[in-house]
Amino acid sequence: MTNVASLQKQLGYRFKDEALLQLALTHRSFGGQNNERLEFLGDSILNFIIAEDLFARFPQAKEGQLSRLRARLVKGVTLAEIAREFGLGDYLRLGSGELKSGGFRRESILADAVESIIGAIYLDSGFDACRERVLFWYASRLAGLSLKDTLKDPKTKLQEFLQSRQLALPRYEVINIEGEAHAQTFHVRCMVEALNEAPLGRGNSRRLAEQEAAQLALVALGLEEKA
């Protein structure tokens, strides 16, 4: 078994049944039992804990605003950030293929492991203990929120504008990826029927590059001012 004492210190939680934590750290590529069921459980619990906190924190917020805030907090990017704060990649149990390809750095694997740990804490100590830990991990992120954070992202704005004009939805195409696996820059074009030229966005993930390209498309369409 992996020595997880230092990880438990980072989590601020000591498992009564350490086998639950080991299972939460086991990716399906490792073989045998893995963390997929715990991930399913943890995902549901996380969504409820964050929804409950946002409901109390923003009594004047509308349902759509609360949904967008929650989506921002529980998305894979945020979960992977939390995983890196724990140094979680060092404790994951991965198959040889995932190890060679740098799976311990992969955003989706890190995010799934955090959800699995949430599920494991719930099974180990119940809902109250689980909620206390999740809210502690999210404390600075929750404290920094405002309803201004519910503004729609560029891709959503662009899609809704095109739909309202009954135009084809935008298409995003990766045209180049630069750099090593751990420090890549993605170049993505956004093809929009109403534009003669496809704006080019860049970012350290495909998602961020697509968002930048969509923002440039909004500017080209006269819907946003140039930053």
Side-chain angles (χ1 to χ4, degrees):
M1 271 193 169
T2 309
N3 182 357
V4 290
S6 57
L7 174 58
Q8 292 185 86
K9 187 175 181 180
Q10 288 294 319
L11 297 173
Y13 179 82
R14 181 164 293 281
F15 279 82
K16 296 188 283 287
D17 181 1
E18 200 171 281
L20 282 168
L21 177 56
Q22 293 288 351
L23 183 59
L25 298 171
T26 304
H27 186 255
R28 64 178 178 271
S29 63
F30 192 78
Q33 289 190 315
N34 58 66
N35 63 9
E36 288 185 325
R37 284 170 53 82
L38 283 176
E39 176 203 336
F40 166 79
L41 182 61
D43 173 69
S44 299
I45 294 167
L46 173 64
N47 271 273
F48 177 77
I49 291 171
I50 296 300
E52 181 187 47
D53 184 88
L54 293 174
F55 184 85
R57 191 179 293 267
F58 297 106
Q60 305 305 319
K62 296 179 180 178
E63 183 271 341
Q65 292 175 303
L66 294 172
S67 293
R68 284 191 284 275
L69 284 174
R70 181 181 61 181
R72 172 180 171 178
L73 291 167
V74 304
K75 66 184 179 180
V77 174
T78 305
L79 287 166
E81 288 174 355
I82 290 172
R84 293 186 186 101
E85 290 167 8
F86 297 148
L88 196 56
D90 295 337
Y91 300 92
L92 296 177
R93 301 205 293 176
L94 305 170
S96 59
E98 284 291 353
L99 279 172
K100 289 176 183 176
S101 64
F104 56 91
R105 291 190 297 263
R106 188 163 298 133
E107 188 174 277
S108 60
I109 291 177
L110 290 169
D112 290 349
V114 172
E115 290 178 335
S116 300
I117 289 172
I118 291 169
I121 292 175
Y122 170 76
L123 293 178
D124 195 57
S125 288
F127 182 74
D128 288 343
C130 188
R131 176 168 53 189
E132 186 276 330
R133 277 297 84 196
V134 168
L135 293 179
F136 183 82
W137 300 340
Y138 271 92
S140 62
R141 290 172 172 86
L142 287 165
L145 288 179
S146 78
L147 291 183
K148 292 180 181 178
D149 296 315
T150 63
L151 297 174
K152 293 175 182 175
D153 63 83
K155 285 184 67 176
T156 302
K157 286 183 184 178
L158 179 60
Q159 179 172 316
E160 291 182 352
F161 170 78
L162 295 174
Q163 286 176 324
S164 72
R165 300 296 190 277
Q166 296 185 324
L167 297 172
L169 295 180
R171 292 186 298 109
Y172 298 92
E173 179 185 357
V174 177
I175 62 168
N176 191 28
I177 303 174
E178 299 175 338
E180 300 295 327
H182 64 284
Q184 293 181 326
T185 299
F186 290 77
H187 299 254
V188 175
R189 286 199 183 281
C190 175
M191 275 76 77
V192 177
E193 187 179 300
L195 295 176
N196 293 325
E197 294 186 10
L200 176 65
R202 294 188 301 172
N204 58 15
S205 71
R206 177 171 180 164
R207 182 186 63 84
L208 291 175
E210 288 178 353
Q211 292 287 9
E212 183 176 284
Q215 178 64 32
L216 293 171
L218 290 169
V219 171
L221 289 165
L223 301 172
E224 299 273 345
E225 292 187 7
K226 191 172 183 179

